[in-house]
Amino acid sequence: MPMPHSNQKVLIIKHGAFGDIVQADGAFRDIRAYHPQAEITLLTTPPFRRLMSRSPHIDRIIADVRPSFWKIRDWLALASTMRAEQFTHIYDLQKSDRSDLYRRLFFRSAHWNGRKPGYQPPSAVSGYITQLTDAGIPAPHSDKPDVSWMADDARAILAEGAVRRPYVALIPGCSAKHPQKRWPYYAELAQALISLGYDVVTAPGPDEIELCKRIPGHTLLGPNGFLNWFELAGVLKDACFVVGNDTGPSHVASCLDKPGLALFGPHTSAARTGICRGEFGAIEVANLAELSVQTVLDAILRKLPAQENSV
């Protein structure tokens, strides 16, 4: 049953990364449903402050710079903030050594909800479900994240780029720290789709612009040089299909209930990431360089709609 008390102050800890924040949307929703009258605050890292300020399940954001252990002044400031808030309930969805340290330092008197010691869930999403249900909290939405609240109206961006519908969105990049996650044949895939009459768009982040400019189709850069999260979500929401690497924007597409495909090499499994849901699936191979364009194209063509050829 929901906990109706309006004097509850709930803190959710979720630092990131981008895809992990997106995947946690369903758990945020379930926590909100259980504490309908409480003030819910999210402790996250500064890059996600603006993004999560739009979430309908969160009331306030506290940005955590995650200070290094030797930065005593930063630790004292964080301690002062956390203790002054007097949170009554803490939900640790980060489940890291840092968040456990926060529990011991700052939240000894609060009701703490975290992962059981030693438990390693098969995916983050299944971990949220277990964590909440073990505490007696219904979790009907934790495996159904829905980030439609992220998506801005992309019609102006698409019109400026002269994009025709139906179009396929490609996500050829990923974190620069994990180049092994990048499938190397997006240019060839784009050309094959264009030859079949489909428009192709990419919406690169700041460090992916040159990569995307080498891919046939439309590179959507937006008024600020590249699309922000909300503009990107709008472009993905209007796509007829999304193909991407194991990266945050692919998780956004999955959580927008889009038909799509994520391409995985040996770095991790699709099941571990929890990216497959609805019509969003995955191809997993031992070596991404050996995954052929034809294999990916065949998987896409089974789900592509007929061309409407409308702007």
Side-chain angles (χ1 to χ4, degrees):
M1 293 179 60
M3 300 187 71
H5 304 295
S6 58
N7 61 346
Q8 292 176 351
K9 292 190 66 175
V10 174
L11 179 71
I12 301 173
I13 303 175
K14 190 61 183 172
H15 288 126
F18 179 38
D20 298 330
I21 288 276
V22 169
Q23 289 272 44
D25 170 82
F28 296 155
R29 183 176 176 184
D30 286 330
I31 293 169
R32 164 55 72 195
Y34 193 68
H35 298 275
Q37 298 180 30
E39 179 185 68
I40 297 183
T41 300
L42 175 67
L43 182 68
T44 190
T45 48
F48 305 119
R49 178 195 285 273
R50 181 166 177 255
L51 170 68
M52 295 310 297
S53 292
R54 188 183 283 196
S55 169
H57 317 305
I58 304 297
D59 296 310
R60 288 198 301 132
I61 308 294
I62 295 178
D64 179 10
V65 298
R66 294 184 293 183
S68 300
F69 291 109
W70 61 85
K71 294 189 174 180
I72 304 301
R73 184 174 297 178
D74 290 342
W75 275 97
L76 291 175
L78 180 63
S80 176
T81 298
M82 292 295 99
R83 289 169 180 161
E85 289 284 349
Q86 297 186 329
F87 293 111
T88 60
H89 295 74
I90 316 292
Y91 291 90
D92 178 13
L93 301 187
Q94 188 64 31
K95 301 178 287 293
S96 65
D97 290 342
R98 175 177 289 273
S99 60
D100 189 60
L101 179 60
Y102 288 1
R103 175 182 63 84
R104 289 181 276 124
L105 291 177
F106 309 142
F107 304 122
R108 292 186 178 182
S109 61
H111 184 277
W112 181 272
N113 180 279
R115 187 170 64 198
K116 291 182 177 179
Y119 173 62
Q120 293 295 327
S123 71
V125 170
S126 64
Y128 301 147
I129 295 171
T130 299
Q131 179 179 338
L132 295 181
T133 55
D134 281 354
I137 300 171
H141 304 105
S142 289
D143 64 345
K144 301 176 182 67
D146 175 5
V147 295
S148 54
W149 51 265
M150 277 184 64
D152 278 352
D153 187 334
R155 285 178 293 184
I157 294 171
L158 297 170
E160 184 176 350
V163 177
R164 294 180 299 108
R165 301 171 188 267
Y167 64 86
V168 177
L170 303 183
I171 305 170
C174 66
S175 168
K177 296 184 294 185
H178 301 290
Q180 74 278 10
K181 291 185 176 184
R182 294 187 177 186
W183 185 56
Y185 307 122
Y186 281 99
E188 293 85 347
L189 176 64
Q191 191 59 62
L193 289 166
I194 291 169
S195 69
L196 292 171
Y198 293 92
D199 250 11
V200 171
V201 305
T202 57
D207 60 349
E208 300 164 349
I209 293 173
E210 292 306 314
L211 168 67
C212 289
K213 284 184 175 179
R214 296 194 295 268
I215 296 173
H218 306 271
T219 302
L220 302 180
L221 299 178
N224 297 316
F226 56 90
L227 302 188
N228 62 37
W229 282 317
F230 309 120
E231 293 163 338
L232 170 63
V235 169
L236 296 177
K237 185 174 183 290
D238 286 350
C240 70
F241 200 87
V242 180
V243 185
N245 300 316
D246 173 23
T247 186
S250 298
H251 286 275
V252 172
S254 169
C255 295
L256 286 169
D257 198 29
K258 297 304 300 180
L261 198 61
L263 310 179
F264 282 78
H267 54 279
T268 189
S269 68
R272 180 69 181 165
T273 67
I275 200 169
C276 296
R277 59 174 51 84
E279 294 187 71
F280 200 98
I283 295 178
E284 300 180 77
V285 293
N287 185 347
L288 280 172
E290 295 179 359
L291 176 59
S292 72
V293 173
Q294 191 61 52
T295 298
V296 176
L297 184 63
D298 289 344
I300 297 171
L301 291 178
R302 289 194 291 268
K303 297 184 178 181
L304 280 181
Q307 293 103 319
E308 299 170 5
N309 291 327
S310 60
V311 176

